[in-house]
Amino acid sequence: KSRGYNVDQMYREQVSGKKEQKQPTGPKMPKHLITPQFAEFHFFNTQRLDELYAKKRDWWNRLQAAIKEKEGSEKKDDEGEVVVDGAEIDAKEGWTPEEMDESAALLDEGFRDWSKKDFSVFKSACERHGRTAYESISQELENKDAEEVERYSAAFWKLGPSRIANWDSVEKQIEKGEGKI
């Protein structure tokens, strides 16, 4: 049995016309070339990581253009891989060995395993116990030991002013809590 028709839908179809099919834009960029996203409380050097991953994405785009150019050329008898920046750099997807090492070091220096909840508990524990009471703070954090809390605290107080958006209010809140101790 027919359910009738929807006047609004018919009007939209007539006004908008047929939808145009998207033209294929080429291969999709692999996920490992996209800059990893980190929260500000992870304390990664996101600016430098963005620069490195932008270089990698630029290399990938140039590689795709070279492949497309090779496929479009009339010389089909040339069987070989497309080389953009040299075999060594192409093997590392656009990074030099130094940049590979730098990227690994940058990814190791942050605190990827700290969650938003851990960050909030850390701030409130600093208010209650003071910023240098690492043992007491680690007891409030479920899965962090005093050594890890001390390392995070050092990064928090050193990098916080430049990397946390609401640093002034966070600092005032902790100092207010420390004043009550």
Side-chain angles (χ1 to χ4, degrees), residues 100-120:
M100 293 272 300
D101 295 341
E102 181 184 4
S103 170
L106 288 171
L107 290 172
D108 286 343
E109 79 180 16
F111 297 89
R112 187 183 303 218
D113 59 337
W114 280 66
S115 66
K116 182 74 173 167
K117 180 184 175 193
D118 292 336
F119 178 64
S120 297

Side-chain angles (χ1 to χ4, degrees), residues 42-179:
H42 287 143
F43 298 113
F44 283 99
N45 185 349
T46 54
Q47 182 178 0
R48 182 61 183 148
L49 284 169
D50 286 343
E51 292 169 2
L52 289 171
Y53 276 88
K55 183 176 180 184
K56 202 174 226 193
R57 287 189 301 275
D58 179 55
W59 170 85
W60 190 82
N61 289 330
R62 288 185 291 122
L63 176 68
Q64 296 307 312
I67 291 171
K68 195 172 191 178
E69 184 178 301
K70 183 179 178 182
E71 288 174 354
S73 70
E74 295 180 16
K75 260 176 116 178
K76 294 288 182 183
D77 58 326
D78 182 21
E79 294 295 324
E81 291 201 20
V82 176
V83 177
V84 179
D85 290 334
E88 183 182 347
I89 293 178
D90 284 357
K92 293 178 175 35
E93 297 180 323
W95 281 351
T96 63
E98 295 81 24
E99 289 169 331
M100 293 272 300
D101 295 341
E102 181 184 4
S103 170
L106 288 171
L107 290 172
D108 286 343
E109 79 180 16
F111 297 89
R112 187 183 303 218
D113 59 337
W114 280 66
S115 66
K116 182 74 173 167
K117 180 184 175 193
D118 292 336
F119 178 64
S120 297
V121 170
F122 173 80
K123 289 189 306 183
S124 61
C126 283
E127 287 178 51
R128 282 192 294 282
H129 305 292
R131 62 182 81 185
T132 57
Y134 307 123
E135 194 63 46
S136 300
I137 295 170
S138 67
Q139 289 174 359
E140 290 197 32
L141 290 162
E142 296 169 0
N143 53 356
K144 310 289 186 228
D145 61 358
E147 186 178 300
E148 189 174 0
V149 168
E150 185 175 356
R151 198 171 75 87
Y152 186 81
S153 182
F156 177 80
W157 292 106
K158 180 182 176 189
L159 302 173
S162 61
R163 299 202 184 153
I164 295 180
N166 61 341
W167 173 254
D168 292 335
S169 65
V170 169
E171 187 179 32
K172 284 178 187 173
Q173 188 177 4
I174 291 172
E175 288 173 352
K176 182 180 173 185
E178 285 178 328

Side-chain angles (χ1 to χ4, degrees), residues 9-20:
Q9 182 65 33
M10 286 178 58
Y11 177 76
R12 268 189 235 111
E13 289 172 1
Q14 289 177 347
V15 170
S16 67
K18 299 233 179 207
K19 289 186 177 181
E20 294 180 24

